[in-house]
Amino acid sequence: MAEWWRSAVVYQIYVRSFADSDGDGVGDLQGIRSRLPYLRELGVDGIWLTPFYPSPGADHGYDVSDYVDVDPQFGTLADFDALLAATHELGLRLIVDIVPNHTSNEHVWFRNAVSAPDHPDRARYMFRAGRDDGPPNGWKSAFGGPAWTRDEGSDEWYLHLFTPEQPDLDWHNETVRADFEEILRFWLDRGVDGFRIDVGQALYKARDLHDVQQPEPRPSYADWHTGINQPEVHELYRSWRRLGDGYPGERMFVGEIVLGDQALLARYVRPDELQLAFNFTFLFEGWSAAGLRETIERTLEEFGAVGATATWVLENHDVTRVATRYGGGETGRRRARAAALLLLALPGTAFVYEGQELGLEEVDLPDELRQDPIFFRTQGERQGRDGCRVPIPWENGPPGFGFTSGTPWLPIPDEWEGITATAQEADAGSALELYRAALGARPRDESFAWLESPAETLAFARGDLTCLVNLSAHEVELPAGELVLASDPGAGDVLPPDTAAWVRTKGER
Ligand code: NOJ
């Protein structure tokens, strides 16, 4: 049997926003445990937990101050162990997020580093002398502003590709490498099924730290940044792969590799490197038949060339919800449903972000409630990611919606009362039921072949299952066969615009 991760659907849990067990308005590990039966019934194969480690929260957990513990607001290590055991009992896998590019500025290593210019821990980070009374080079932070902050104690500067509270580690330092091996072992020994690697392409910086002109507006992909994506990172991932393979039970690594060139991306998933890499080209494509076709084709070609499994993502905690990206309102919602059938028909591994299965849309929050550092560091020019991080509406209504018995850390819109998970469970035409049905009927083999289809549509075969997506403004005819699923209950002999369907053709094609 092929490894589990080759055809899995992994459900991403943004821990703060999934389920709160203690009424403080923030999700936690016990909350997740209480909702595992929902995930089992949804039909996913595993879950990915965003960081739950001790953190001051400058980037909501992506600023880790201790890699081998649980932040008290999310629970304890015992809660983690109980969650892992319960997940495994239900036959699901669990992967955790590892954040190796940077630590929190509250991590003891960084506190030591700034405590004295000659402290040995300083070598774990990227401290450099300035240039002309300014930073060492012109690199900008991905969250706005310069990527360097002056260390008051020494007059040197330290690098941070994200916020100043997230100082970058120096991966050319062997101690850093050894530390992370220990950290990986800690979680592997506890029994996790794998890791999602944060900013996986950026760990090693070019040794000369050369200047790089950042294109404006800031691109979604990091291909332009010649100071990162260094060859050394591949050797590191080979060593991590060996480490994971030394454990029983098919442990895996999925890299957050934010590159648009799929040939470069595929280098990360060569046979002895990471098993999977997120393929954001699918996510950043608009609602366009030509664009989606091209990204699917390129992905299958480049990943196929190295024998790797393709991955498909439409949403995560960093991007605007798909219904909103595809036009919003009724049109956006229809397209998001159609896209769900496309996503789950493609060969490989798919990732589904919490709430995507409920068809949630981006929430337009008032500025005074925004928390994302991107909003503050760009003086509101970029709104940030809070709108896709609003907690899950499980049942009933405001303010808690079954997410919390207290006040949710971001308000849940009143109108979500009609689309809670419980409300959707009873509704055959709901997004939730569509996801459940698609997860149940999804083809698992690797076969894939494009089929001829009218302009502005996509059609492909997975064995005897045909997936047809209508991105045109006209109805198109459905192929003959048994209609297995349609994203619009109105689909019959024809497929309306912004709709997708799965048809079993049983040799009739
Ligand atoms: C990518 C994560 O997904 C995002 O949420 C985070 O802000 C950055 N990496 C920095 O860790």
Side-chain angles (χ1 to χ4, degrees):
M1 258 214 1
E3 296 99 329
W4 70 274
W5 42 265
R6 283 196 185 270
S7 62
V9 175
V10 180
Y11 185 93
Q12 179 192 353
I13 294 184
Y14 191 66
V15 177
R16 293 180 74 75
S17 300
F18 191 64
D20 171 26
S21 71
D22 59 8
D24 66 357
V26 174
D28 50 43
L29 300 182
Q30 285 199 23
I32 297 171
R33 183 145 70 101
S34 73
R35 296 291 180 180
L36 286 177
Y38 166 86
L39 297 174
R40 180 80 193 91
E41 222 165 292
L42 179 60
V44 297
D45 302 288
I47 56 178
W48 147 33
L49 304 183
T50 57
F52 47 79
Y53 316 110
S55 161
D59 189 17
H60 281 336
Y62 284 95
D63 49 320
V64 179
S65 54
D66 181 353
Y67 288 89
V68 290
D69 205 347
V70 173
D71 193 293
Q73 76 176 327
F74 300 130
T76 61
L77 271 176
D79 291 333
F80 176 82
D81 290 339
L83 171 60
L84 182 59
T87 307
H88 284 164
E89 258 163 47
L90 289 179
L92 302 175
R93 306 280 181 155
L94 185 149
I95 69 171
V96 296
D97 214 312
I98 190 83
V99 189
N101 181 67
H102 45 265
T103 69
S104 159
N105 62 339
E106 294 291 319
H107 196 291
V108 65
W109 299 332
F110 193 75
R111 280 208 253 118
N112 288 339
V114 290
S115 69
D118 56 355
H119 195 289
D121 280 350
R122 206 169 167 89
R124 294 175 193 262
Y125 294 91
M126 307 278 298
F127 284 88
R128 294 291 184 279
R131 185 174 68 182
D132 307 331
D133 208 32
N137 67 23
W139 292 7
K140 292 187 185 153
S141 148
F143 288 176
W148 297 90
T149 290
R150 195 192 288 262
D151 166 31
E152 301 301 335
S154 68
D155 244 18
E156 281 189 326
W157 300 69
Y158 68 87
L159 179 70
H160 51 85
L161 293 185
F162 297 92
T163 71
E165 292 80 20
Q166 294 165 293
D168 279 46
L169 288 162
D170 183 353
W171 273 89
H172 286 116
N173 179 335
E174 286 303 315
T175 314
V176 169
R177 201 167 156 150
D179 291 333
F180 271 84
E181 260 186 46
E182 284 304 301
I183 294 164
L184 294 176
R185 276 186 207 287
F186 178 88
W187 294 104
L188 287 167
D189 288 342
R190 289 198 112 77
V192 303
D193 297 289
F195 301 90
R196 175 264 189 193
I197 308 170
D198 191 57
V199 256
Q201 80 286 357
L203 272 45
Y204 286 85
K205 315 313 186 268
R207 285 187 191 268
D208 63 359
L209 292 176
H210 59 264
D211 271 306
V212 182
Q213 197 56 41
Q214 177 173 302
E216 292 294 344
R218 197 177 162 274
S220 308
Y221 303 110
D223 303 48
W224 56 274
H225 201 316
T226 55
I228 58 173
N229 187 28
Q230 300 299 299
E232 298 94 306
V233 80
H234 295 287
E235 184 38 48
L236 174 71
Y237 291 153
R238 284 190 191 103
S239 73
W240 286 11
R241 176 68 180 260
R242 287 193 296 272
L243 180 67
D245 283 354
Y247 282 79
E250 299 177 353
R251 316 294 173 104
M252 69 88 150
F253 293 89
V254 52
E256 186 209 24
I257 312 292
V258 194
L259 298 173
D261 178 343
Q262 283 147 319
L264 279 184
L265 190 56
R267 294 174 65 81
Y268 285 81
V269 285
R270 288 175 289 189
D272 56 349
E273 296 197 35
L274 308 178
Q275 283 88 345
L276 303 175
F278 290 138
N279 161 35
F280 293 123
T281 63
F282 184 66
L283 184 157
F284 287 124
E285 198 48 65
W287 185 245
S288 135
L292 286 167
R293 187 184 171 111
E294 196 196 318
T295 179
I296 293 168
E297 229 159 57
R298 286 268 296 148
T299 304
L300 294 176
E301 203 175 287
E302 296 295 348
F303 280 56
V306 293
T309 299
T311 66
W312 311 102
V313 187
L314 279 175
E315 287 194 6
N316 63 35
H317 63 295
D318 293 329
V319 296
T320 304
R321 292 263 188 200
V322 66
T324 312
R325 287 205 320 270
Y326 284 169
E330 178 55 22
T331 304
R333 285 193 293 273
R334 284 176 64 78
R335 292 175 175 172
R337 290 168 60 94
L341 290 193
L342 171 61
L343 173 83
L344 297 174
L346 289 167
T349 297
F351 290 80
V352 172
Y353 175 52
E354 62 174 45
Q356 182 179 333
E357 80 283 13
L358 299 177
L360 298 185
E361 291 172 71
E362 190 78 359
V363 179
D364 191 13
L365 293 156
D367 287 356
E368 61 276 14
L369 293 181
R370 293 198 179 272
Q371 306 205 9
D372 188 352
I374 291 183
F375 178 75
F376 299 102
R377 286 185 61 80
T378 63
Q379 286 78 43
E381 203 179 297
R382 284 161 62 195
Q383 287 206 313
R385 305 160 291 180
D386 299 304
C388 67
R389 297 175 175 181
V390 170
I392 296 298
W394 288 103
E395 61 241 347
N396 305 324
F401 283 89
F403 161 73
T404 179
S405 58
T407 307
W409 70 279
L410 285 174
I412 304 175
D414 289 358
E415 346 34 297
W416 284 7
E417 201 163 333
I419 54 162
T420 61
T422 310
Q424 295 201 31
E425 256 165 14
D427 174 0
S430 68
L432 177 59
E433 292 301 339
L434 179 71
Y435 266 89
R436 280 184 175 168
L439 282 159
R442 183 172 169 263
R444 291 256 179 185
D445 64 348
E446 289 179 4
S447 70
F448 178 90
W450 287 113
L451 300 173
E452 275 197 28
S453 67
E456 300 298 313
T457 68
L458 298 171
F460 54 86
R462 300 290 316 283
D464 64 0
L465 195 78
T466 293
C467 174
L468 177 64
V469 191
N470 184 5
L471 298 96
S472 79
H474 317 282
E475 286 182 348
V476 295
E477 231 175 274
L478 271 175
E482 173 209 347
L483 180 60
V484 178
L485 265 179
S487 65
D488 177 340
D493 296 339
V494 291
L495 196 60
D498 299 324
T499 302
W502 291 0
V503 177
R504 197 164 312 279
T505 44
K506 295 216 175 78
E508 295 170 57
R509 195 181 297 132

